Amino acid sequence: MFKYDDPLYDVTFDVKKNSQNWALYAQDEFNIFNNLILNFGLRYDKYTTFGSTINPRAALIYNPLEQTTIKLLYGEAFRAPIPSELYYSDGNITQKANPNLKPELIKTYELVLDQSLGRGFLVEALLFYNDIKDLITMETDPADGLIVYNNVESLITKGAELQLEKAWDNGIKGKIGYTYQQTKNALANQTVVNSPAHLIKATMMAPLLKNKIFAAIEEQYTSDRKLLDGSSASSFFLTNFTLSSANYIKAMEASMSVYNLFNKKYSDPASYEHLQSAIEQDGINFRLKVTYKF
């Protein structure tokens, strides 16, 4: 059941649909040589909304040296259309439904190098290439001027990642990573909306009470992103802070996080259904989480 009330047009959207899905998955590992492993998996999914899909995954893992690992990875995956994309309509005032949507499909290719540098240092270098097809996109149907979700775009994403980790004997751990990527429309060869070229993430975690209480600070950088009107959303830095405990009280885990610690003002690109081209995001906000296992 999917229900939505639109006070602007005095429309009540109330759709009752039944759907089922099930899946089978198999995986195995083969030792080609002592230092060369092939890992292979295959998944079959069946949906009553759009049919079936088969997605393989494979990993070739090579250890030329004790501290060196090289991985060649391939995978296929999908995203099934959600009920609002399939069935939402405001009575064909501005938007209509499309129950014939197909799933989004992606093929991923990755080449990974993991290298231990000794003294707690670990570096990871990654090259990646993603081929995305049938991306579900909101667009205007020229036949009637109504907004509708369709399987429209094909995207190509390619880039590289570099990450450095360090663990100290006193329990402090640090990590910094940089990602460069290009995501373009496969046909028009144009950069797509909401796709930053540069991402940086750095974290540092330190024990305040050994194996009991930890403090972690995280810094994120996102470069500017293209908006639908052709302009750009500005780049920004965000700082998050978390205080967590494990085993301080038996079987209980707790954390308190502060997101956007310095109340940075920033905006994310909007979609076709919004009036504005960018939407301002939350300022400083808090989260308290408690988990008890029994």
Side-chain angles (χ1 to χ4, degrees):
M1 178 177 177
F2 189 79
K3 187 172 182 179
Y4 172 72
D5 295 317
D6 190 336
L8 181 62
Y9 295 105
D10 193 25
V11 171
T12 297
F13 173 59
D14 188 359
V15 174
K16 296 179 176 65
K17 294 285 186 179
N18 293 321
S19 63
Q20 296 177 344
N21 63 279
W22 57 273
L24 293 174
Y25 182 79
Q27 180 175 309
D28 204 351
E29 188 171 279
F30 306 93
N31 290 302
I32 301 175
F33 301 109
N34 290 335
N35 60 351
L36 183 62
I37 296 173
L38 174 63
N39 189 295
F40 182 80
L42 190 67
R43 179 178 175 124
Y44 173 85
D45 288 84
K46 177 71 174 181
Y47 281 73
T48 55
T49 51
F50 64 81
S52 60
T53 178
I54 298 176
N55 295 282
R57 291 192 176 188
L60 195 62
I61 305 170
Y62 178 49
N63 293 101
L65 301 170
E66 184 178 353
Q67 303 296 325
T68 305
T69 301
I70 300 173
K71 293 179 282 189
L72 182 61
L73 310 176
Y74 171 79
E76 295 183 17
F78 73 98
R79 184 184 76 85
I82 60 178
S84 61
E85 294 169 337
L86 289 164
Y87 306 121
Y88 176 71
S89 169
D90 60 3
N92 289 348
I93 299 173
T94 62
Q95 185 172 340
K96 62 181 179 180
N98 183 4
N100 297 316
L101 280 175
K102 299 181 294 182
E104 297 176 341
L105 306 175
I106 183 172
K107 295 180 179 180
T108 63
Y109 307 82
E110 297 180 41
L111 178 61
V112 185
L113 169 65
D114 290 324
Q115 178 65 56
S116 174
L117 303 178
R119 304 185 66 179
F121 282 98
L122 178 65
V123 64
E124 180 180 81
L126 167 67
L127 297 175
F128 61 87
Y129 181 94
N130 299 330
D131 184 2
I132 305 169
K133 297 186 182 300
D134 294 329
L135 191 68
I136 297 174
T137 305
M138 180 179 281
E139 63 175 3
T140 300
D141 189 340
D144 51 25
L146 296 177
I147 296 173
V148 64
Y149 284 102
N150 280 320
N151 296 99
V152 180
E153 290 186 296
S154 295
L155 305 179
I156 297 295
T157 297
K158 53 186 176 181
E161 295 181 12
L162 186 62
Q163 181 172 279
L164 178 65
E165 297 182 32
K166 166 65 175 173
W168 285 267
D169 294 336
N170 58 6
I172 297 176
K173 295 180 180 179
K175 180 189 299 185
I176 184 169
Y178 166 74
T179 300
Y180 171 76
Q181 65 171 10
Q182 285 186 338
T183 301
K184 294 186 176 182
N185 186 293
L187 297 178
N189 196 32
Q190 296 178 341
T191 302
V192 300
V193 172
N194 196 18
S195 178
H198 307 279
L199 296 168
I200 300 175
K201 183 177 180 180
T203 60
M204 181 70 74
M205 185 181 71
L208 301 183
L209 184 62
K210 189 174 182 180
N211 297 324
K212 299 288 185 179
I213 301 178
F214 303 87
I217 190 165
E218 176 185 76
E219 189 72 20
Q220 298 178 5
Y221 169 77
T222 302
S223 64
D224 59 288
R225 291 155 295 162
K226 182 180 177 181
L227 302 178
L228 284 171
D229 63 5
S231 62
S232 297
S234 299
S235 60
F236 60 90
F237 285 92
L238 284 183
T239 305
N240 305 319
F241 177 78
T242 298
L243 196 63
S244 61
S245 70
N247 302 317
Y248 188 77
I249 300 177
K250 187 177 181 180
M252 180 179 288
E253 297 179 359
S255 65
M256 182 187 71
S257 299
V258 184
Y259 298 99
N260 196 357
L261 181 63
F262 300 112
N263 201 33
K264 174 68 176 180
K265 292 187 180 297
Y266 70 102
S267 297
D268 283 342
S271 186
Y272 286 98
E273 71 267 29
H274 301 118
L275 295 177
Q276 62 270 61
S277 59
I279 300 175
E280 186 172 330
Q281 300 301 297
D282 293 336
I284 185 171
N285 59 95
F286 307 86
R287 186 184 74 171
L288 179 64
K289 179 180 178 182
V290 178
T291 303
Y292 184 77
K293 298 179 181 179
F294 56 90

